[in-house]
Structure formats: C-alpha cells, structure tokens
Amino acid sequence: MFKHAIVRLPCEALINGLTEAKLGKPDYSKALLQHDDYVSALKECGLNVTVLKALDEFPDSCFVEDVALMTPHCAVLTRPGAPSRRGEVEHIADVVKIFYDRVEHIIAPGQVEAGDIMMVGDHYYIGLSSRTNREGANQLISILEKYGMSGSMVEMAEMLHLKTGLGYLENNVLLACGEFISKSEFQNYNIIKINEKQSYSANSVWINDIVLVPSGFPETAKAIGDAGYRVREVDVSEFRKLDGGLSCLSLRF
Ligand code: CIR
C-alpha cells in the first residue's frame, strides 16, 4: 500500500517540453486543470499528496517520477539521461529528504530515469533505454542489494521508458504492449495485452487497489475492470503530447 505522493505543478514552459509525440503543443490552462484532477484521483486512492511549486526553468519538471525512486527502504536520486532534465534532481532532493533518512544517488557516467523502473515487490526491473544506461542500472542494482532488494535489466528498443509500455497492477497482473508482450522475463505474469492503438494506456497505475487509467481507452479500462480492479479514469491528453503518462506525474510511496 502507498501512503504518500509527490507531484509538481506544471510550469508555463511546459509547452516547450521534450517530445517525439507529434501531437502538437499542450494547452497550458488545460494541463493545469488535468493536473488538478490527477491530484484529486491520487487523493481518492487514499494518498497524502505533496504539491510542489512549478519550476519555470525546467519544462519537463512536472514529470517527477523520473528524478527519484522511492523504495520502502531508501530513496534514490537519479541522473536523467536527458541533459535538460538533470537540474530537476536537486529540486526534488529537499522534499525527498523530508520523507527519507537514507538517500542514495546515481552518479556520472551513470544515467537513470525512474520511468524506466518498474517495481514488483522487492524486485525492480530496469529498462535500458535512451535515457537509462547500463552503468546507471548497475549502480542502481548495487544500491538495491545494499538494502535487501534486487534489480534486473530489461533490453528495450521501441519505447521512451520501460513503463511507457508496461504497468504492474500487483497480484501478478501485468499490462504490456509491443515488444514487452513476448519478453521471456515477463512470461510468468498474467499479461493483459494492450494493442498498438491503445498503447498509451499501458501506462496505467495501480494505487491501493484502484487503477488510474488514461481517459479515452475503453478497451483497456474494461480489461482492467474485468480483472477485478476499480478503475478511475484521468484525462492527461496535454501531458501525452510530451510523451508523459499517468505514472510520470507522481512519486508514490
Ligand atoms: C521527457 O521526454 O522526459 C518528458 N517529456 C516526458 C517524461 C515522461 N516520463 C515518464 O515516462 N516517466
């Protein structure tokens, strides 16, 4: 069960965030409204939500998931592969230290963005993407092992982050799309396959037995509902324009 979430308000520079989506620029006012509803959804899941102020110098800073990994035993401040995002880390550090005594760091030449990390109990899958490199993953695995946890690397080729195409819903249930459906390391999970058209919704998020699902993906919402979960839809269309999904917008711990 999670108790807390940390989010950061989108800044006006959001419209200049990194993207390969080709869906146009986000509408800032709409993004603020959607963010507000996202916070409401987190609260509905029973979380205490810390809302950080917007950081105008970092367009992608509302995607807080990438800059820290919060485990039950320690927090890890990452070193994002995107150079324009590295400065976000020091801004999250202060709030992370409020919640954690043990704070670890990924250091150069390691690169990790925590959108590439999927937690399954005490084990952490780490996607090797354009943002997370082997050196960073090795550092992270050493940190996890120091605290009695474990990690393993997942080769990937198609997606921005590991959780762009994977979502763990607890109870051995895994949402997967594209290249992840057939990967050997995931074959022992009960996989809910997400087709290409619905691929954005593979990034749905389990929080205390409620699953946040992006609006506009009825097949995914139905499949998750049929698997026995309560579904809460959240419209994040403006964040999708920046390749951001539901998980990216919060740290949950
Ligand atoms: C980026 O490219 O870094 C942002 N525009 C989107 C980050 C999305 N984060 C995530 O998937 N964890």
Side-chain angles (χ1 to χ4, degrees):
M1 298 291 271
F2 296 118
K3 286 190 183 145
H4 303 283
I6 297 171
V7 301
R8 184 180 292 288
L9 289 171
C11 61
E12 286 187 47
L14 174 79
I15 57 167
N16 299 320
L18 298 172
T19 184
E20 293 185 3
K22 299 187 178 68
L23 294 170
K25 285 205 186 278
D27 175 325
Y28 181 58
S29 318
K30 206 169 163 189
L32 285 179
L33 291 173
Q34 291 182 347
H35 196 267
D36 200 49
D37 184 49
Y38 180 78
V39 170
S40 299
L42 295 175
K43 289 180 179 166
E44 287 165 31
C45 296
L47 302 184
N48 293 312
V49 185
T50 302
V51 182
L52 304 175
K53 69 177 175 53
L55 280 181
D56 282 321
E57 60 277 44
F58 296 104
D60 289 296
S61 53
C62 61
F63 301 114
V64 283
E65 173 176 70
D66 294 318
V67 291
L69 177 71
M70 316 291 256
T71 80
H73 308 290
C74 67
V76 183
L77 296 171
T78 68
R79 182 170 180 274
S84 68
R85 301 202 56 193
R86 286 204 187 128
E88 294 173 29
V89 177
E90 64 180 277
H91 291 277
I92 207 80
D94 289 342
V95 65
V96 165
K97 284 172 190 158
I98 295 173
F99 292 98
Y100 283 87
D101 294 331
R102 295 168 181 151
V103 180
E104 304 281 348
H105 299 259
I106 301 297
I107 55 171
Q111 296 178 358
V112 171
E113 293 189 6
D116 280 317
I117 303 171
M118 183 174 74
M119 178 182 83
V120 177
D122 277 347
H123 187 77
Y124 292 76
Y125 291 97
I126 308 163
L128 296 174
S129 69
S130 61
R131 304 289 183 87
T132 295
N133 63 14
R134 210 169 277 279
E135 166 65 27
N138 273 323
Q139 287 181 27
L140 182 59
I141 290 170
S142 299
I143 293 167
L144 293 169
E145 289 178 350
K146 189 167 125 186
Y147 293 95
M149 300 175 283
S150 60
S152 59
M153 298 184 209
V154 181
E155 303 280 347
M156 51 184 282
E158 292 169 8
M159 302 193 202
L160 173 64
H161 285 126
L162 184 74
K163 281 185 293 191
T164 308
L166 278 180
Y168 186 58
L169 304 186
E170 303 296 319
N171 315 308
N172 210 47
V173 176
L174 185 65
L175 295 175
C177 79
E179 62 187 310
F180 298 124
I181 292 175
S182 54
K183 283 221 175 274
S184 57
E185 55 262 66
F186 301 126
Q187 296 313 306
N188 288 334
Y189 293 100
N190 298 323
I191 293 183
I192 299 179
K193 290 182 194 161
I194 307 292
N195 65 41
E196 279 312 308
K197 276 193 186 149
Q198 308 262 310
S199 67
Y200 180 70
S201 59
N203 185 260
S204 292
V205 186
W206 179 97
I207 305 174
N208 303 342
D209 284 338
I210 299 177
V211 180
L212 305 187
V213 179
S215 301
F217 299 92
E219 288 173 36
T220 303
K222 181 171 184 316
I224 294 173
D226 288 349
Y229 298 94
R230 194 176 129 202
V231 168
R232 163 63 152 94
E233 292 194 18
V234 188
D235 189 358
V236 280
S237 63
E238 301 316 293
F239 301 98
R240 184 183 184 194
K241 292 174 182 171
L242 299 176
D243 302 324
L246 280 173
S247 72
C248 325
L249 288 169
S250 60
L251 292 164
R252 305 157 299 278
F253 54 102

